Amino acid sequence: MAEKESPLIQALPPESDYYTYLTIVEYNLSQESLPILHRVLQDETLTTNIGWDLVQLLVPYLPESEQCLHDIARLGNPREVILKATESLRLIEYSDAEGSDDGEQPVGPGATDARVRADSSTYPLKTAQTFGKGEGSGSTQAVELPPPLPLATSQFIYLLSMLSTLHGRIKTKNPSRFLSTTLQAILASFSNSATHREEMVRAIVPTVKAVAGAKGPTLPNRRSSGMLGRSPHLNINAPASDPEALEDSEVTPQERSMQRRLLQSFISHVVEEYLLNVPSTDDDVPGMAWSSRVMEKMHPERIIPETDTLTARFAKQEQYHRRIDAVGQLVTLAQDLNLTDEDLLAAAIAVEKMPERRGDDEDDPPSSADDIPLSRLGSLMLYTARQASSILYDASTLFTGPPFAIFPDHHELVKHCLSSPEQGTGTLGSEPEALIDAILALGIVTLEHDAIGEPASDEQFNEYLQTTALLSSNCPSPNLRGHAHYLTSTILRSHPDDAARLAFVKDTLEHCPFENLKVSAVGWVKGETIEANPPTVQSGSHQRDHTGSQGPASSSVFATPIALDSLSPFLFPSLQADLLTTPVHDAWITYLSNLSFYLASLNFLYLLLCAKHVHESLLVHDLWNNTDMAGSFLQPLRDASKRFLEAMERGGELVDEKSEEVLAEMNVLNDALERVTGAVKFLNA
């Protein structure tokens, strides 16, 4: 059909009224008619009257309908088109096909043969024309292009491009009313997506920059070729003015402040939504792995030789480097929007004053900047990203904020952003791994700055340690458990009062239900005892060091019998009731669940027996005899081992539990028992 015979040409007003013409466009819209519609929409009067009703008709035809949509953004009534564009954002359907392994993409009415060919097995190899240096003839070579985006993701990106143009056209005293609606729609749509979020972030950043009037280009990707070529083509023709603009549309300083706060709040919520929902992996990479990467940078001696570090994986592997690109864009944008460290910290702890607002919980437009909350968790992660970058990228001069210490600052963040131990030990550690990583990384960075601070009380000190200790026990990620243990141990050793340290260790051994945390507590006691009792030649109340100089004996409680006397009932408990008098199956469960604790206690006892220089100062001989360790702790372990082995024989209650691994673990415990028994002779030497 010739262009002049097209109904879109023949029915142009004044041949029909605008409503009738809109109906004709709807019934004749097709891939073939899009170029004609593009030319028709160059009429500003026509586009102003019908453009807003065409948005939802054209979105399913993306990317082929891109030019028409930008015609509408450039020439349509911006107030009406914004409403339709935001409504279209909410209607985007992010199907499961986006993340399927076979790469199958949803195909809408706008799908073309080119898109189908792109989805075929021959993609992404395309033939491109190249030219050699100094030669006029061309040659062809295979060029690898990024795979096509899902239709839903493309729709999101193109609609944001429209909104960038539209918000620049609105001239009103209260543009924040339109901005609030737009940002809520973007966040709601982003929250509904499951894949290709890095590409969506890359579309969000220039949109916010355009609305905010920020100068400077969007940062390019460092390596992620999969994110290249995603920006939609923008119509370079100048947009029309706002047809409803008032003569007096000067924006007040209060309105500008509210717009800025809206954008700051929006970015904080995008950061939360993105990081708390990064895809989980099977190789223990929690969120941005800030904790591990900071530790690898500051303590390379802790890296296991010939292992692939997380720093290297984030630098080399595409899926992790895309995270760095996305978060880097958002952190830089927050800085451009003058989002200060003070703002972020205040938002992270002011839970009651600044209640959380989700993308699907849309209230009326705010009346002032003070009514606009930042995301609590997004603010925490933005602040952590800044602090981590000061170490990872030697960017300490980029961010200057208020002093930050473990006490009281990090303690307040832990208390407000993680589940409190008082809420039940089963909850703490089940938070998103990216959140736990951010909390721990911030604590590690603060330790590296030697900013522990001063706890207001022993209760505050214990509350902090209880939380981090429970994280070291409950968190599913081995990486995060290790970092939580490091943080707990370092903070515990930092307390100048050894009595306070002893009280926390005793409380852990006595009341903690987690076996791995009790093992840590045994390690803390062992470390304190070794440090307080160096191998020196003792004389009365003084001791000589290896140089022969004489000095006062250690004043630590761990250099006296008091510590071991108070801890021995929990370090070396009586086990007869638990392992010998209960039914064999129940006893077996108790034995298995506490096996690591038994081994840790036996190894510590072996150290006490072999270290002759502590026998007198710690009264190890009296401890051994008065507490009946041999009869109440060691012998029940021996008898229980025999009991379980007999029950594993044919016809026994534990026959299904027998395996080479189980027998090996029992042998390790039995060997430890023999070593302890053999070391008793040193008490009488």
Side-chain angles (χ1 to χ4, degrees):
M1 179 187 301
E3 179 177 323
K4 63 181 180 180
E5 298 176 359
S6 169
L8 302 186
I9 299 297
Q10 293 183 344
L12 275 171
E15 295 300 324
S16 61
D17 57 59
Y18 292 121
Y19 181 79
T20 302
Y21 185 73
L22 184 63
T23 304
I24 292 172
V25 171
E26 180 177 359
Y27 279 96
N28 290 275
L29 192 60
S30 64
Q31 294 291 341
E32 294 74 18
S33 65
L34 287 175
I36 300 174
L37 181 61
H38 168 53
R39 285 188 283 275
V40 166
L41 290 175
Q42 304 312 304
D43 184 331
E44 181 177 339
T45 302
L46 176 68
T47 306
T48 299
N49 282 277
I50 71 168
W52 65 286
D53 262 336
L54 290 175
V55 174
Q56 291 183 359
L57 295 177
L58 290 169
V59 167
Y61 286 88
L62 281 168
E64 289 77 10
S65 61
E66 171 196 348
Q67 286 186 318
C68 295
L69 285 170
H70 277 290
D71 291 333
I72 295 170
R74 190 171 54 88
L75 301 175
N77 186 317
R79 302 160 189 257
E80 296 174 340
V81 178
I82 280 180
L83 296 178
K84 286 296 183 179
T86 54
E87 184 179 348
S88 296
L89 272 174
R90 301 176 189 281
L91 295 176
I92 295 176
E93 295 183 0
Y94 298 95
S95 65
D96 294 338
E98 291 183 43
S100 61
D101 294 334
D102 58 8
E104 188 176 328
Q105 308 290 354
V107 180
T112 63
D113 291 340
R115 177 180 284 274
V116 174
R117 286 196 303 272
D119 291 338
S120 68
S121 59
T122 60
Y123 195 85
L125 292 180
K126 301 293 180 183
T127 300
Q129 189 78 11
T130 60
F131 295 91
K133 293 182 179 179
E135 298 181 7
S137 60
S139 60
T140 60
Q141 68 177 16
V143 178
E144 186 172 349
L145 300 175
L149 291 175
L151 179 60
T153 306
S154 295
Q155 290 173 345
F156 180 90
I157 293 173
Y158 284 107
L159 285 169
L160 261 62
S161 179
M162 286 185 68
L163 290 166
S164 298
T165 302
L166 291 163
H167 276 279
R169 294 179 56 204
I170 290 182
K171 303 300 179 186
T172 176
K173 287 185 176 182
N174 300 301
S176 62
R177 293 185 176 273
F178 294 94
L179 182 58
S180 176
T181 300
T182 293
L183 297 180
Q184 288 181 4
I186 294 174
L187 183 61
S189 185
F190 183 70
S191 300
N192 290 333
S193 65
T195 65
H196 297 85
R197 285 186 148 203
E198 290 77 16
E199 285 81 2
M200 298 172 79
V201 167
R202 189 159 177 79
I204 287 172
V205 170
T207 299
V208 172
K209 280 179 171 286
V211 173
K215 296 181 179 180
T218 300
L219 293 177
N221 294 312
R222 304 178 204 182
R223 286 187 68 256
S224 301
S225 60
M227 292 174 67
L228 298 177
R230 299 302 193 194
S231 298
H233 171 75
L234 299 178
N235 195 322
I236 61 175
N237 295 328
S241 59
D242 184 356
E244 299 182 27
L246 301 175
E247 292 185 6
D248 182 17
S249 58
E250 184 69 23
V251 177
T252 65
Q254 292 79 7
E255 175 66 19
R256 293 188 186 279
S257 176
M258 189 151 57
Q259 289 184 70
R260 183 173 62 251
R261 188 63 172 182
L262 279 170
L263 294 171
Q264 292 174 341
S265 175
F266 171 71
I267 288 301
S268 70
H269 281 87
V270 170
V271 169
E272 175 189 359
E273 178 61 36
Y274 175 73
L275 282 178
L276 295 192
N277 294 282
V278 292
S280 59
T281 61
D282 296 331
D283 48 359
D284 193 19
V285 183
M288 295 299 295
W290 282 315
S291 299
S292 294
R293 293 193 287 143
V294 167
M295 287 293 289
E296 289 168 358
K297 179 72 177 288
M298 301 306 296
H299 299 284
E301 72 280 359
R302 289 174 169 265
I303 299 175
I304 301 175
E306 299 181 1
T307 58
D308 195 10
T309 65
L310 281 171
T311 301
R313 288 158 69 181
F314 267 77
K316 297 176 182 178
Q317 295 184 22
E318 182 73 17
Q319 61 174 326
Y320 302 129
H321 206 282
R322 284 162 58 86
R323 295 184 193 177
I324 292 180
D325 284 334
V327 173
Q329 296 272 352
L330 294 171
V331 170
T332 302
L333 180 56
Q335 187 76 4
D336 292 342
L337 294 172
N338 298 320
L339 194 51
T340 66
D341 288 349
E342 289 87 347
D343 292 335
L344 297 175
L345 289 175
I349 64 175
V351 180
E352 295 182 357
K353 294 181 180 179
M354 304 179 74
E356 198 74 16
R357 179 188 292 184
R358 304 295 302 179
D360 55 355
D361 179 20
E362 297 170 11
D363 305 320
D364 294 333
S367 58
S368 70
D370 294 336
D371 296 334
I372 305 170
L374 300 178
S375 161
R376 179 166 52 91
L377 301 184
S379 297
L380 163 69
M381 288 183 283
L382 271 173
Y383 183 77
T384 301
R386 291 180 176 183
Q387 301 307 311
S389 70
S390 68
I391 290 179
L392 296 176
Y393 308 114
D394 298 319
S396 57
T397 60
L398 293 182
F399 307 108
T400 57
F404 187 90
I406 295 294
F407 298 104
D409 306 302
H410 194 249
H411 172 253
E412 287 297 310
L413 288 178
V414 169
K415 185 168 63 175
H416 286 87
C417 297
L418 294 178
S419 303
S420 172
E422 285 76 14
Q423 297 175 2
T425 56
T427 302
L428 187 67
S430 61
E431 299 88 350
E433 290 185 351
L435 173 60
I436 298 176
D437 174 60
I439 288 281
L440 295 177
L442 188 54
I444 293 171
V445 169
T446 306
L447 285 181
E448 294 302 325
H449 292 159
D450 195 24
I452 294 179
E454 187 73 26
S457 63
D458 288 346
E459 289 74 17
Q460 185 188 71
F461 180 75
N462 290 336
E463 181 184 41
Y464 179 86
L465 290 183
Q466 285 169 3
T467 303
T468 56
L470 286 174
L471 282 178
S472 72
S473 175
N474 290 355
C475 187
S477 165
N479 261 328
L480 295 181
R481 288 201 303 270
H483 297 314
H485 174 74
Y486 170 80
L487 188 62
T488 305
S489 300
T490 306
I491 299 300
L492 175 63
R493 297 295 303 278
S494 74
H495 200 294
D497 186 354
D498 50 10
R501 301 198 300 271
L502 175 61
F504 178 77
V505 172
K506 180 180 179 182
D507 182 73
T508 302
L509 287 170
E510 183 176 2
H511 300 294
C512 180
F514 301 108
E515 173 255 2
N516 56 352
L517 192 49
K518 290 167 68 175
V519 171
S520 297
V522 176
W524 296 331
V525 177
K526 184 177 179 181
E528 291 277 9
T529 303
I530 292 174
E531 184 174 329
N533 300 274
T536 58
V537 179
Q538 298 188 7
S539 176
S541 61
H542 291 73
Q543 57 187 14
R544 296 181 182 272
D545 59 22
H546 67 280
T547 65
S549 61
Q550 196 174 45
S554 172
S555 60
S556 170
V557 69
F558 292 95
T560 70
I562 297 174
L564 287 180
D565 283 344
S566 63
L567 296 177
S568 61
F570 315 110
L571 286 169
F572 317 110
S574 176
L575 299 177
Q576 188 156 358
D578 290 338
L579 300 182
L580 300 180
T581 62
T582 58
V584 66
H585 191 271
D586 294 341
W588 172 248
I589 293 176
T590 301
Y591 178 87
L592 279 184
S593 62
N594 289 280
L595 185 58
S596 296
F597 169 67
Y598 298 152
L599 281 170
S601 293
L602 287 171
N603 287 330
F604 180 47
L605 179 57
Y606 179 74
L607 171 68
L608 292 175
L609 294 173
C610 292
K612 296 181 181 179
H613 67 283
V614 302
H615 288 180
E616 182 179 351
S617 60
L618 301 184
L619 300 181
V620 176
H621 189 279
D622 293 344
L623 178 70
W624 173 263
N625 291 322
N626 295 341
T627 59
D628 189 27
M629 274 189 267
S632 62
F633 181 63
L634 301 183
Q635 192 59 41
L637 285 173
R638 293 192 189 93
D639 295 342
S641 180
K642 295 178 182 178
R643 182 188 186 194
F644 298 144
L645 287 174
E646 292 174 358
M648 290 179 185
E649 297 302 323
R650 181 176 298 180
E653 295 182 52
L654 301 179
V655 64
D656 294 334
E657 301 289 337
K658 188 175 182 179
S659 67
E660 292 184 4
E661 182 179 358
V662 167
L663 293 177
E665 290 178 346
M666 294 178 68
N667 286 335
V668 170
L669 184 68
N670 290 332
D671 288 343
L673 284 168
E674 293 304 317
R675 285 189 291 109
V676 169
T677 302
V680 175
K681 62 185 178 183
F682 294 120
L683 288 178
N684 301 316

